[in-house]
Amino acid sequence: MKTDFSKWLSIIARFALVAVIAFLAYELHQNNQLLRKQAEYTHVRNKMEGNEHFINDDAFRKVFLKAESEIALSDSEIVMVYSYHFNTYLKWQWEWQQLAATDPDQVPLHQWGHYLRVYPLTLEAWEWRKSHFQPEFAKFFEETLEPDSRRVE
């Protein structure tokens, strides 16, 4: 009798263990999906903030357009453009950390490379403050993004 009870208890324990493992796997999957969605939201929000900066700050917009026209900028105007790019790179670092951990294929390399090719003073701004970034992101930037930025579209 005890043997039958022990067998049944062992079988139930094994099923319970399998169920717990399956539940944990499902929860991990759900968590990864949530992290991916949060990273996507962060990316969209970062793009929106950049656009809002152009919309809401007339002085900045004029300086940025002046830089795009390759008209010489004053030192304070250069710092303004560099600071804008620095903030963009900080956002990229955050996005890269989030996406590299969950889904590295979702890192928006094409968009970032386009940004580096199109907007003025991007690489100069990187050189200006690259020591402020995490070493892993700086390596990623210089090995992946910077060479891509020199490619002509």
Side-chain angles (χ1 to χ4, degrees), residues 49-65 80 84:
E49 286 174 7
N51 289 337
E52 289 169 0
H53 195 66
F54 280 98
I55 293 167
N56 298 327
D57 189 342
D58 190 49
F60 174 75
R61 185 173 51 252
K62 288 177 183 176
V63 169
F64 207 81
L65 291 173
M80 186 184 290
Y84 176 80

Side-chain angles (χ1 to χ4, degrees), residues 92-101 107 112 136-137 140:
W92 287 2
Q93 178 176 260
W94 174 252
E95 289 178 42
W96 176 78
Q97 289 171 331
Q98 298 302 304
L99 291 169
V107 175
W112 293 353
E136 297 85 7
F137 178 73
F140 165 78

Side-chain angles (χ1 to χ4, degrees), residues 44-118:
V44 169
R45 187 71 206 133
N46 288 343
K47 288 172 69 174
M48 289 170 56
E49 286 174 7
N51 289 337
E52 289 169 0
H53 195 66
F54 280 98
I55 293 167
N56 298 327
D57 189 342
D58 190 49
F60 174 75
R61 185 173 51 252
K62 288 177 183 176
V63 169
F64 207 81
L65 291 173
K66 184 177 173 183
E68 281 186 329
S69 301
E70 299 182 9
I71 297 171
L73 301 175
S74 69
D75 289 345
S76 63
E77 290 172 332
I78 289 172
V79 169
M80 186 184 290
V81 173
Y82 280 9
S83 296
Y84 176 80
H85 292 314
F86 176 70
N87 287 337
T88 298
Y89 299 150
L90 285 173
K91 293 172 186 177
W92 287 2
Q93 178 176 260
W94 174 252
E95 289 178 42
W96 176 78
Q97 289 171 331
Q98 298 302 304
L99 291 169
T102 59
D103 194 357
D105 293 335
Q106 295 301 313
V107 175
L109 294 176
H110 179 73
Q111 292 175 9
W112 293 353
H114 178 78
Y115 177 93
L116 292 171
R117 286 188 297 279
V118 171

